[in-house]
Amino acid sequence: MGLEYGAAEGSPPATLRGSYGLFIGGSFVPGSAVFKTVSPATEEVLAEVTHGTTEDVDRAVAAARQAYERTWSLLPGKTRAAYLLRIARLLRERAPELAVIESLDSGKPIRQTRDVDLPLVTAHFFYHAGWADKLAYAGFGAAAANPPNPTLPNPTLPRPLGVVGQVIGWSSPLLMLAWKIAPALACGNTVVLKPAESTPLTALAFAEICAEAGLPPGVVNIVTGDGQTGQLVARHPGIDKVAFTGSPEVGKEIAKSAALWGKRFTLELGGTSANIVCADADIEAAAQGIVEGVFIRQGHACCASSRVFVAEEVHDDLVAAVRRRMAALRSGNPLDEATDIGPVNSHGQLDKITELARSAEADGAVRWSAPHRPPDRGFWFPPTMFAVVTQEQRIAREELCWPVLTVSSFGTPDEVVDRTNSTRYGLSAGVWTRQGELSAWLAARLRAGVVWVNSFGGLDPAVPFGGFQESGFGREGGRHGLEAYLDLPGAWTPDV
Ligand code: NDP
């Protein structure tokens, strides 16, 4: 039996089925084992979801292979574009309902899922639909030097890779799915995707949309399950490329096995993004950017600005401005329009941040938490700031994927560059200054895939995203992101 959920003002209610099978070969099929997905705000069971086994992953990969060989890779780019456009329009039509499902399952406030995530999800499909019939003209490899005649067979044209295995995490689940599936399909690949165990519901709703769009069976397959199911997908011999979003630890494991079997892979991993506030910055704007960069998504973002470095001269002013905003954050029901901050995504994540916060205090970091009265049920952690930390403390080194930030002061630009670059990550950073020259100087020296200046966290499908060091390998988005889903023979042919 399905359940109907009342939504935020202006959104239709979302109807969840009582249980979901796996989406393989164009329809939902039952599996042999199930698990429950719960609301992190209330711990209420939202639905039963199928746990994908070895046989299930085999079936999904076989369906994707068949679809790749018999239909999808043979279609002209303009036909693939038409399918992507149809998916994009359906996503736009169902966006209010999908936003409700995402908020229910992930705990993200509805204002974030409805006003930020869903528009970006839709934009990714529209954007990549635009590329599907223009790949030969995108300047890739030998085709770039020798513009192709589309009426003739041309070995220098970019080709799809085949069947892609995609495994994603629980922060921004539907957006991560869009980052993965839209470019893969635009380039002519077929997909087996495994969403995170704690946030499978929007991926399953997306499967319904694929069916409604009339996508050829097997082009997109959604296999739910836990880390073991993810491992089965990533290591499957029938997969030609692995695309992963998640932790550096699992990312390294995937890189090793992909390298061993000669598979292509891209990794979007964690980060400890710095927000650098210079002495001349607009303090109120910086404080707002910092609070939005961390707390509005409960810190559940790879690029959450969890490390704040502030010039000594303005340290106290900035801390006061951030605290004021943190104290005003309303936590509560993610479906309430007035909610700024929802629960932590799962019990496991709550345990991790609780333990790390204790260890930070034991290490001497000074904790300040916003006044917060959590509901009796659910996985709640108050918006928290740790002040005056040194780089040796765990809280300053580890990824903070929760509603927590650290603040410390710096003296000179050289010092803040050294401290920002001192972690094993390198995903993104923010710089707040009124001087264009200083922002350019800092951006050039920070080891981060993205640097925002006087803003934080803006994303666009046309702009590549990805990290250095343990924050990842490869880029997603833009023309760079397409490369990760294409075989570019001309690019590697020696010029003899
Ligand atoms: P994990 O690495 O634990 O999990 C990510 C996905 O991999 C989940 O689907 C998980 O399944 C699955 N998985 C777990 N173990 C394995 C394995 N051995 N082989 C294959 N798949 C496996 O990360 P989290 O779920 O904790 O995600 C949070 C991380 O993702 C953070 O580090 C965050 O920064 C990062 N992230 C990066 C982004 C980027 O673009 N750079 C964007 C968003 C998040 P299960 O859910 O069952 O555990």
Side-chain angles (χ1 to χ4, degrees):
M1 201 191 73
L3 289 174
E4 200 171 86
Y5 286 88
E9 204 180 319
S11 304
T15 305
L16 295 178
R17 306 179 188 191
S19 67
Y20 288 84
L22 306 167
F23 187 71
I24 296 178
S27 54
F28 282 96
V29 297
S32 52
V34 291
F35 64 96
K36 293 176 172 45
T37 183
V38 301
S39 151
T42 61
E43 299 177 53
E44 168 198 18
V45 174
L46 296 171
E48 272 191 353
V49 179
T50 303
H51 185 142
T53 60
T54 308
E55 294 72 37
D56 297 324
V57 175
D58 284 346
R59 274 196 293 168
V61 174
R65 175 65 57 195
Q66 189 169 337
Y68 177 75
E69 285 174 0
R70 299 204 186 155
T71 54
W72 197 245
S73 67
L74 307 177
L75 293 176
K78 64 180 181 189
T79 311
R80 292 200 306 275
Y83 279 112
L84 287 173
L85 285 173
R86 210 176 293 163
I87 291 173
R89 288 195 197 100
L90 287 168
L91 281 165
R92 195 164 57 189
E93 263 171 52
R94 288 183 59 180
E97 177 202 345
L98 290 165
V100 170
I101 298 175
E102 192 79 308
S103 287
L104 280 169
D105 208 19
S106 73
K108 264 190 179 190
I110 188 77
R111 288 206 321 266
Q112 179 73 24
T113 56
R114 187 194 57 202
D115 302 343
V116 180
D117 289 16
L118 260 300
L120 273 171
V121 167
T122 308
H124 270 272
F125 280 90
F126 278 120
Y127 173 80
H128 285 96
W131 273 119
D133 61 349
K134 300 174 194 71
L135 298 170
Y137 307 95
F140 290 125
N146 185 13
N149 177 347
T151 59
L152 299 174
N154 187 334
T156 67
L157 290 183
R159 292 193 303 261
L161 295 172
V163 177
V164 181
Q166 306 184 321
V167 180
I168 56 176
W170 41 264
S171 63
S172 306
L174 191 59
L175 185 55
M176 291 303 105
L177 174 149
W179 281 23
K180 298 267 179 295
I181 291 186
L185 298 196
C187 294
N189 305 281
T190 57
V191 164
V192 177
L193 179 134
K194 197 217 67 91
E197 187 181 1
S198 58
T199 52
L201 293 182
T202 42
L204 293 163
F206 179 79
E208 292 169 354
I209 286 176
C210 291
E212 203 179 332
L215 196 68
V219 173
V220 168
N221 303 275
I222 307 286
V223 180
T224 45
D226 62 7
Q228 245 180 344
T229 312
Q231 200 174 50
L232 289 168
V233 172
R235 292 191 176 181
H236 199 285
I239 295 281
D240 299 299
K241 180 225 159 97
V242 187
F244 175 74
T245 296
S247 61
E249 291 63 37
V250 176
K252 283 183 213 167
E253 198 185 305
I254 286 176
K256 269 192 229 158
S257 80
L260 199 64
W261 298 106
K263 290 179 187 171
R264 298 270 293 270
F265 62 93
T266 40
L267 307 172
E268 295 296 335
L269 308 177
T272 48
S273 298
N275 237 328
I276 299 171
V277 183
C278 301
D280 67 325
D282 177 336
I283 296 299
E284 293 300 324
Q288 186 64 22
I290 289 163
V291 168
E292 286 179 5
V294 181
F295 298 112
I296 302 304
R297 291 169 285 195
Q298 296 94 261
H300 288 350
C302 50
C303 58
S305 58
S306 49
R307 286 188 304 155
V308 175
F309 296 110
V310 51
E312 282 158 4
E313 303 92 304
V314 291
H315 173 273
D316 293 352
D317 291 347
L318 180 89
V319 168
V322 171
R323 280 191 185 189
R324 213 170 45 243
R325 284 171 170 78
M326 285 170 66
L329 291 174
R330 275 189 64 166
S331 56
N333 178 1
L335 293 185
D336 187 334
E337 290 268 353
T339 294
D340 297 308
I341 178 161
V344 171
N345 175 255
S346 64
H347 204 287
Q349 294 301 324
L350 182 60
D351 288 347
K352 281 188 190 174
I353 179 53
T354 306
E355 187 279 321
L356 185 57
R358 276 201 205 107
S359 124
E361 285 183 280
D363 283 350
V366 180
R367 172 177 176 161
W368 182 82
S369 291
H372 169 91
R373 204 178 301 136
D376 295 338
R377 305 209 57 183
F379 314 130
W380 300 91
F381 195 85
T384 296
M385 174 195 283
F386 285 100
V388 198
V389 290
T390 67
Q391 290 306 305
E392 285 67 48
Q393 289 172 324
R394 247 183 90 198
I395 190 90
R397 289 196 322 268
E398 290 190 10
E399 179 178 18
L400 302 177
C401 216
W402 307 287
V404 173
L405 57 77
T406 64
V407 184
S408 61
S409 60
F410 67 88
T412 65
D414 282 317
E415 180 195 338
V416 80
V417 168
D418 286 348
R419 284 169 57 191
T420 301
N421 290 344
S422 70
T423 70
R424 58 192 177 116
Y425 299 104
L427 192 57
S428 59
V431 171
W432 299 83
T433 172
R434 289 186 168 96
Q435 300 172 59
E437 205 180 329
L438 179 58
S439 64
W441 187 91
L442 284 166
R445 280 159 185 78
L446 296 174
R447 230 162 337 132
V450 181
V451 180
W452 288 286
V453 176
N454 293 328
S455 69
F456 196 90
L459 298 170
D460 188 293
V463 179
F465 185 90
F468 289 94
Q469 305 191 109
E470 293 195 20
S471 285
F473 180 80
R475 294 291 178 267
E476 288 188 327
R479 181 182 164 282
H480 293 75
L482 295 169
E483 260 185 84
Y485 287 99
L486 289 170
D487 188 7
L488 308 170
W492 300 315
T493 308
D495 191 9
V496 287

